[in-house]
Amino acid sequence: MENEIKQTNNLSIPITIIIAGVLIAGAVLSSNRSGTNNVASAPQPQAVAENTGGLGKLAPITSADHIRGNPSAPVEIVEYSDPECPFCKRFHSTMQQAMSEYGKNGKIAWVYRHFPLDQLHSKARKEAEATECANELGGSDKFWAYTDRLFEVTPSNNNLDPAELPKIATYVGLDIQKFNTCLSSGKYAKHIEDDVQNAQATGGNGTPWSIVVAKNGKKYPLSGAQPYASVKQLIELALQGK
Amino acid sequence: MYGLIDVAVIIVVFFFATWLPNFRLLWGVLGSSGVPFLDKLGLPLNLIGGIATNFTLFSASYTIAIAVLFGMNIAMIIYFLRRKIADARQAGISTGFLGIASGVLGIGCAACGSFILMNILTFIGASWVLSYLPLAGAEFGILGVSLLAISIYLTSRQIQNPTVCKI
């Protein structure tokens, strides 16, 4: 009996190490494969100078994107964001800071794409649709005004009252009737889903997920609400084409 | 010496936790020949600041707790093994490894969506599980802290117990 217990204790260490190893290896493997596993029909842009896998699947930045700043800027920062994620709220301020330092000189452009995490924030997808309705009714300026205000008023973590969405529309000066019609139509659901699929294809597994794109095509993936110093350093590296 | 091991492990685990979401970025920048040395040094240091921006107060607390307890655990295990208490029960050590395994699942929060946990759940097609976890994965961090604390307690008891021959 004692020998059996002893044997069990002796085996417990290697078993737990193996379990831990398998978990971590699985995580690393899935991280590398996440793009190919999750996306069947994501856009396949031309291959560019890559430093990591998955980033080549970044959907091309076009005039259909929501771009703040100079559309021809040498550095573009594509952000995949969830309006109910508290870290996206924080990173929104970080990006505003980046725009006030580099955007006014036309050095960077901020490209906003949707990445609502349904498992964590069931309300986020509808809120993303609301920003698209703002874009339809008032163009790029209203899209950004609506998005800024949304991040400003939401308590995050799925706590924004849906009744706030039309109030924000009124606040930024949209036609409330048209806004409500647009929002209830669900016409932008596919657009949001396409963004989500592309975020996953590029390797995003949490929000905010950002990709800094240099003029020479080099891409720098940035996961999470990292401090401004990190963002600034990546912008500088991208501007230098390093 | 054990104090140094403790501090070294704490630093390694803490840095690992803050860099975890951005290993791809670090790999790309550190491996690029065109990036100046100071930038290669600066980026990892800047990313450590993510503990203030990319973690909640709660997740930062248990991440730091895991790093500290992990450091203590490793230092105690090394001390324990060096004393060659061959006959001692190893429950403390195995609990420690379970704590580490569990803690790893909870740390490295890529903001919304715990990094490793999200990957594992996505890998096995069970990302919906997250919606049933009230703390969205932080449960594993708490479990890790608890198991590491238990491990330290058990290991310290084993260290204090004299080696005896069992009948």
Side-chain angles (χ1 to χ4, degrees), chain A residues 172-195:
Chain A
V172 300
L174 296 173
D175 182 321
I176 195 65
Q177 296 281 344
K178 287 180 180 172
F179 175 83
N180 285 334
T181 305
C182 172
L183 190 57
S184 57
S185 74
K187 63 204 283 190
Y188 290 105
K190 186 184 176 305
H191 175 84
I192 307 295
E193 182 57 24
D194 286 346
D195 276 3

PDB file of all heavy atoms in Angstrom, chain A residues 172-195:
ATOM      1  N   VAL A 172     -23.877  63.181 -31.570  1.00  0.00           N
ATOM      2  CA  VAL A 172     -22.924  63.536 -32.636  1.00  0.00           C
ATOM      3  C   VAL A 172     -23.628  64.160 -33.842  1.00  0.00           C
ATOM      4  O   VAL A 172     -22.981  64.464 -34.848  1.00  0.00           O
ATOM      5  CB  VAL A 172     -22.071  62.313 -33.083  1.00  0.00           C
ATOM      6  CG1 VAL A 172     -21.265  61.762 -31.922  1.00  0.00           C
ATOM      7  CG2 VAL A 172     -22.928  61.231 -33.715  1.00  0.00           C
ATOM      8  N   GLY A 173     -24.948  64.335 -33.732  1.00  0.00           N
ATOM      9  CA  GLY A 173     -25.671  65.079 -34.769  1.00  0.00           C
ATOM     10  C   GLY A 173     -26.199  64.246 -35.923  1.00  0.00           C
ATOM     11  O   GLY A 173     -26.276  64.729 -37.056  1.00  0.00           O
ATOM     12  N   LEU A 174     -26.552  62.984 -35.651  1.00  0.00           N
ATOM     13  CA  LEU A 174     -27.115  62.139 -36.707  1.00  0.00           C
ATOM     14  C   LEU A 174     -28.635  62.189 -36.682  1.00  0.00           C
ATOM     15  O   LEU A 174     -29.232  62.493 -35.644  1.00  0.00           O
ATOM     16  CB  LEU A 174     -26.654  60.687 -36.523  1.00  0.00           C
ATOM     17  CG  LEU A 174     -25.151  60.411 -36.651  1.00  0.00           C
ATOM     18  CD1 LEU A 174     -24.852  58.967 -36.274  1.00  0.00           C
ATOM     19  CD2 LEU A 174     -24.658  60.706 -38.062  1.00  0.00           C
ATOM     20  N   ASP A 175     -29.247  61.884 -37.821  1.00  0.00           N
ATOM     21  CA  ASP A 175     -30.702  61.779 -37.915  1.00  0.00           C
ATOM     22  C   ASP A 175     -31.117  60.517 -37.153  1.00  0.00           C
ATOM     23  O   ASP A 175     -30.813  59.395 -37.592  1.00  0.00           O
ATOM     24  CB  ASP A 175     -31.100  61.683 -39.399  1.00  0.00           C
ATOM     25  CG  ASP A 175     -32.618  61.631 -39.591  1.00  0.00           C
ATOM     26  OD1 ASP A 175     -33.300  60.963 -38.769  1.00  0.00           O
ATOM     27  OD2 ASP A 175     -33.110  62.242 -40.553  1.00  0.00           O
ATOM     28  N   ILE A 176     -31.830  60.713 -36.067  1.00  0.00           N
ATOM     29  CA  ILE A 176     -32.107  59.586 -35.173  1.00  0.00           C
ATOM     30  C   ILE A 176     -33.021  58.541 -35.816  1.00  0.00           C
ATOM     31  O   ILE A 176     -32.859  57.342 -35.584  1.00  0.00           O
ATOM     32  CB  ILE A 176     -32.679  60.094 -33.822  1.00  0.00           C
ATOM     33  CG1 ILE A 176     -32.634  58.995 -32.770  1.00  0.00           C
ATOM     34  CG2 ILE A 176     -34.051  60.663 -33.982  1.00  0.00           C
ATOM     35  CD1 ILE A 176     -31.255  58.582 -32.396  1.00  0.00           C
ATOM     36  N   GLN A 177     -33.962  59.021 -36.620  1.00  0.00           N
ATOM     37  CA  GLN A 177     -34.874  58.062 -37.297  1.00  0.00           C
ATOM     38  C   GLN A 177     -34.091  57.135 -38.225  1.00  0.00           C
ATOM     39  O   GLN A 177     -34.238  55.912 -38.189  1.00  0.00           O
ATOM     40  CB  GLN A 177     -35.919  58.833 -38.127  1.00  0.00           C
ATOM     41  CG  GLN A 177     -36.849  59.708 -37.312  1.00  0.00           C
ATOM     42  CD  GLN A 177     -37.955  58.902 -36.639  1.00  0.00           C
ATOM     43  OE1 GLN A 177     -38.202  57.766 -37.008  1.00  0.00           O
ATOM     44  NE2 GLN A 177     -38.598  59.463 -35.631  1.00  0.00           N
ATOM     45  N   LYS A 178     -33.268  57.763 -39.033  1.00  0.00           N
ATOM     46  CA  LYS A 178     -32.480  56.976 -39.999  1.00  0.00           C
ATOM     47  C   LYS A 178     -31.496  56.070 -39.264  1.00  0.00           C
ATOM     48  O   LYS A 178     -31.236  54.935 -39.695  1.00  0.00           O
ATOM     49  CB  LYS A 178     -31.723  57.907 -40.952  1.00  0.00           C
ATOM     50  CG  LYS A 178     -32.614  58.590 -41.961  1.00  0.00           C
ATOM     51  CD  LYS A 178     -31.791  59.507 -42.867  1.00  0.00           C
ATOM     52  CE  LYS A 178     -32.696  60.201 -43.891  1.00  0.00           C
ATOM     53  NZ  LYS A 178     -31.973  61.230 -44.648  1.00  0.00           N
ATOM     54  N   PHE A 179     -30.962  56.572 -38.182  1.00  0.00           N
ATOM     55  CA  PHE A 179     -29.991  55.772 -37.414  1.00  0.00           C
ATOM     56  C   PHE A 179     -30.665  54.513 -36.862  1.00  0.00           C
ATOM     57  O   PHE A 179     -30.123  53.408 -36.991  1.00  0.00           O
ATOM     58  CB  PHE A 179     -29.403  56.605 -36.267  1.00  0.00           C
ATOM     59  CG  PHE A 179     -28.487  55.812 -35.376  1.00  0.00           C
ATOM     60  CD1 PHE A 179     -27.149  55.614 -35.717  1.00  0.00           C
ATOM     61  CD2 PHE A 179     -28.953  55.236 -34.200  1.00  0.00           C
ATOM     62  CE1 PHE A 179     -26.307  54.862 -34.908  1.00  0.00           C
ATOM     63  CE2 PHE A 179     -28.117  54.489 -33.377  1.00  0.00           C
ATOM     64  CZ  PHE A 179     -26.787  54.304 -33.739  1.00  0.00           C
ATOM     65  N   ASN A 180     -31.839  54.684 -36.279  1.00  0.00           N
ATOM     66  CA  ASN A 180     -32.547  53.534 -35.708  1.00  0.00           C
ATOM     67  C   ASN A 180     -32.931  52.517 -36.778  1.00  0.00           C
ATOM     68  O   ASN A 180     -32.842  51.306 -36.559  1.00  0.00           O
ATOM     69  CB  ASN A 180     -33.810  54.002 -34.965  1.00  0.00           C
ATOM     70  CG  ASN A 180     -33.447  54.637 -33.625  1.00  0.00           C
ATOM     71  OD1 ASN A 180     -32.411  54.316 -33.043  1.00  0.00           O
ATOM     72  ND2 ASN A 180     -34.285  55.552 -33.150  1.00  0.00           N
ATOM     73  N   THR A 181     -33.357  53.039 -37.935  1.00  0.00           N
ATOM     74  CA  THR A 181     -33.705  52.132 -39.045  1.00  0.00           C
ATOM     75  C   THR A 181     -32.482  51.331 -39.481  1.00  0.00           C
ATOM     76  O   THR A 181     -32.544  50.111 -39.675  1.00  0.00           O
ATOM     77  CB  THR A 181     -34.242  52.951 -40.246  1.00  0.00           C
ATOM     78  OG1 THR A 181     -35.329  53.751 -39.787  1.00  0.00           O
ATOM     79  CG2 THR A 181     -34.699  52.052 -41.375  1.00  0.00           C
ATOM     80  N   CYS A 182     -31.376  52.027 -39.604  1.00  0.00           N
ATOM     81  CA  CYS A 182     -30.127  51.373 -40.023  1.00  0.00           C
ATOM     82  C   CYS A 182     -29.716  50.307 -39.001  1.00  0.00           C
ATOM     83  O   CYS A 182     -29.398  49.177 -39.367  1.00  0.00           O
ATOM     84  CB  CYS A 182     -29.018  52.427 -40.161  1.00  0.00           C
ATOM     85  SG  CYS A 182     -27.386  51.714 -40.446  1.00  0.00           S
ATOM     86  N   LEU A 183     -29.771  50.684 -37.728  1.00  0.00           N
ATOM     87  CA  LEU A 183     -29.290  49.776 -36.674  1.00  0.00           C
ATOM     88  C   LEU A 183     -30.149  48.509 -36.585  1.00  0.00           C
ATOM     89  O   LEU A 183     -29.629  47.411 -36.402  1.00  0.00           O
ATOM     90  CB  LEU A 183     -29.279  50.505 -35.332  1.00  0.00           C
ATOM     91  CG  LEU A 183     -28.583  49.792 -34.183  1.00  0.00           C
ATOM     92  CD1 LEU A 183     -27.131  49.474 -34.530  1.00  0.00           C
ATOM     93  CD2 LEU A 183     -28.630  50.632 -32.908  1.00  0.00           C
ATOM     94  N   SER A 184     -31.472  48.705 -36.744  1.00  0.00           N
ATOM     95  CA  SER A 184     -32.347  47.533 -36.627  1.00  0.00           C
ATOM     96  C   SER A 184     -32.292  46.648 -37.869  1.00  0.00           C
ATOM     97  O   SER A 184     -32.694  45.487 -37.834  1.00  0.00           O
ATOM     98  CB  SER A 184     -33.789  47.966 -36.336  1.00  0.00           C
ATOM     99  OG  SER A 184     -34.235  48.830 -37.346  1.00  0.00           O
ATOM    100  N   SER A 185     -31.788  47.190 -38.973  1.00  0.00           N
ATOM    101  CA  SER A 185     -31.743  46.401 -40.211  1.00  0.00           C
ATOM    102  C   SER A 185     -30.685  45.291 -40.155  1.00  0.00           C
ATOM    103  O   SER A 185     -30.825  44.276 -40.838  1.00  0.00           O
ATOM    104  CB  SER A 185     -31.453  47.314 -41.405  1.00  0.00           C
ATOM    105  OG  SER A 185     -30.090  47.712 -41.391  1.00  0.00           O
ATOM    106  N   GLY A 186     -29.654  45.503 -39.401  1.00  0.00           N
ATOM    107  CA  GLY A 186     -28.574  44.512 -39.327  1.00  0.00           C
ATOM    108  C   GLY A 186     -27.762  44.413 -40.609  1.00  0.00           C
ATOM    109  O   GLY A 186     -27.060  43.429 -40.854  1.00  0.00           O
ATOM    110  N   LYS A 187     -27.825  45.472 -41.426  1.00  0.00           N
ATOM    111  CA  LYS A 187     -27.175  45.429 -42.744  1.00  0.00           C
ATOM    112  C   LYS A 187     -25.649  45.371 -42.670  1.00  0.00           C
ATOM    113  O   LYS A 187     -25.012  45.006 -43.663  1.00  0.00           O
ATOM    114  CB  LYS A 187     -27.631  46.623 -43.584  1.00  0.00           C
ATOM    115  CG  LYS A 187     -27.229  47.954 -43.004  1.00  0.00           C
ATOM    116  CD  LYS A 187     -28.130  49.083 -43.472  1.00  0.00           C
ATOM    117  CE  LYS A 187     -27.878  49.550 -44.855  1.00  0.00           C
ATOM    118  NZ  LYS A 187     -28.620  50.809 -45.155  1.00  0.00           N
ATOM    119  N   TYR A 188     -25.085  45.726 -41.533  1.00  0.00           N
ATOM    120  CA  TYR A 188     -23.613  45.720 -41.447  1.00  0.00           C
ATOM    121  C   TYR A 188     -23.061  44.502 -40.704  1.00  0.00           C
ATOM    122  O   TYR A 188     -21.866  44.435 -40.420  1.00  0.00           O
ATOM    123  CB  TYR A 188     -23.113  47.022 -40.801  1.00  0.00           C
ATOM    124  CG  TYR A 188     -23.314  48.192 -41.718  1.00  0.00           C
ATOM    125  CD1 TYR A 188     -24.333  49.122 -41.501  1.00  0.00           C
ATOM    126  CD2 TYR A 188     -22.508  48.347 -42.845  1.00  0.00           C
ATOM    127  CE1 TYR A 188     -24.544  50.171 -42.378  1.00  0.00           C
ATOM    128  CE2 TYR A 188     -22.709  49.400 -43.731  1.00  0.00           C
ATOM    129  CZ  TYR A 188     -23.729  50.300 -43.483  1.00  0.00           C
ATOM    130  OH  TYR A 188     -23.924  51.335 -44.369  1.00  0.00           O
ATOM    131  N   ALA A 189     -23.950  43.560 -40.431  1.00  0.00           N
ATOM    132  CA  ALA A 189     -23.499  42.365 -39.693  1.00  0.00           C
ATOM    133  C   ALA A 189     -22.392  41.627 -40.441  1.00  0.00           C
ATOM    134  O   ALA A 189     -21.399  41.188 -39.840  1.00  0.00           O
ATOM    135  CB  ALA A 189     -24.682  41.438 -39.447  1.00  0.00           C
ATOM    136  N   LYS A 190     -22.538  41.507 -41.752  1.00  0.00           N
ATOM    137  CA  LYS A 190     -21.523  40.783 -42.530  1.00  0.00           C
ATOM    138  C   LYS A 190     -20.194  41.549 -42.536  1.00  0.00           C
ATOM    139  O   LYS A 190     -19.119  40.948 -42.448  1.00  0.00           O
ATOM    140  CB  LYS A 190     -22.012  40.561 -43.963  1.00  0.00           C
ATOM    141  CG  LYS A 190     -21.053  39.697 -44.756  1.00  0.00           C
ATOM    142  CD  LYS A 190     -21.441  39.525 -46.205  1.00  0.00           C
ATOM    143  CE  LYS A 190     -20.390  38.717 -46.972  1.00  0.00           C
ATOM    144  NZ  LYS A 190     -19.043  39.246 -46.898  1.00  0.00           N
ATOM    145  N   HIS A 191     -20.297  42.855 -42.645  1.00  0.00           N
ATOM    146  CA  HIS A 191     -19.075  43.678 -42.644  1.00  0.00           C
ATOM    147  C   HIS A 191     -18.298  43.471 -41.336  1.00  0.00           C
ATOM    148  O   HIS A 191     -17.071  43.314 -41.355  1.00  0.00           O
ATOM    149  CB  HIS A 191     -19.464  45.152 -42.809  1.00  0.00           C
ATOM    150  CG  HIS A 191     -18.314  46.094 -42.693  1.00  0.00           C
ATOM    151  ND1 HIS A 191     -17.493  46.388 -43.759  1.00  0.00           N
ATOM    152  CD2 HIS A 191     -17.825  46.787 -41.631  1.00  0.00           C
ATOM    153  CE1 HIS A 191     -16.549  47.230 -43.349  1.00  0.00           C
ATOM    154  NE2 HIS A 191     -16.737  47.500 -42.070  1.00  0.00           N
ATOM    155  N   ILE A 192     -19.030  43.461 -40.237  1.00  0.00           N
ATOM    156  CA  ILE A 192     -18.387  43.260 -38.932  1.00  0.00           C
ATOM    157  C   ILE A 192     -17.739  41.878 -38.895  1.00  0.00           C
ATOM    158  O   ILE A 192     -16.586  41.725 -38.476  1.00  0.00           O
ATOM    159  CB  ILE A 192     -19.419  43.363 -37.770  1.00  0.00           C
ATOM    160  CG1 ILE A 192     -20.223  44.675 -37.847  1.00  0.00           C
ATOM    161  CG2 ILE A 192     -18.728  43.201 -36.415  1.00  0.00           C
ATOM    162  CD1 ILE A 192     -19.469  45.930 -37.664  1.00  0.00           C
ATOM    163  N   GLU A 193     -18.483  40.878 -39.361  1.00  0.00           N
ATOM    164  CA  GLU A 193     -17.971  39.511 -39.330  1.00  0.00           C
ATOM    165  C   GLU A 193     -16.718  39.365 -40.201  1.00  0.00           C
ATOM    166  O   GLU A 193     -15.773  38.662 -39.835  1.00  0.00           O
ATOM    167  CB  GLU A 193     -19.074  38.533 -39.769  1.00  0.00           C
ATOM    168  CG  GLU A 193     -18.672  37.063 -39.736  1.00  0.00           C
ATOM    169  CD  GLU A 193     -18.184  36.587 -38.363  1.00  0.00           C
ATOM    170  OE1 GLU A 193     -18.551  37.189 -37.342  1.00  0.00           O
ATOM    171  OE2 GLU A 193     -17.404  35.605 -38.345  1.00  0.00           O
ATOM    172  N   ASP A 194     -16.719  40.043 -41.335  1.00  0.00           N
ATOM    173  CA  ASP A 194     -15.528  40.000 -42.208  1.00  0.00           C
ATOM    174  C   ASP A 194     -14.309  40.548 -41.470  1.00  0.00           C
ATOM    175  O   ASP A 194     -13.207  40.005 -41.585  1.00  0.00           O
ATOM    176  CB  ASP A 194     -15.773  40.821 -43.481  1.00  0.00           C
ATOM    177  CG  ASP A 194     -16.724  40.117 -44.449  1.00  0.00           C
ATOM    178  OD1 ASP A 194     -16.973  38.909 -44.259  1.00  0.00           O
ATOM    179  OD2 ASP A 194     -17.231  40.791 -45.377  1.00  0.00           O
ATOM    180  N   ASP A 195     -14.515  41.634 -40.724  1.00  0.00           N
ATOM    181  CA  ASP A 195     -13.406  42.205 -39.944  1.00  0.00           C
ATOM    182  C   ASP A 195     -12.925  41.215 -38.876  1.00  0.00           C
ATOM    183  O   ASP A 195     -11.719  41.050 -38.665  1.00  0.00           O
ATOM    184  CB  ASP A 195     -13.850  43.508 -39.251  1.00  0.00           C
ATOM    185  CG  ASP A 195     -13.746  44.722 -40.176  1.00  0.00           C
ATOM    186  OD1 ASP A 195     -13.378  44.535 -41.357  1.00  0.00           O
ATOM    187  OD2 ASP A 195     -14.033  45.851 -39.721  1.00  0.00           O
TER     188      ASP A 195
END
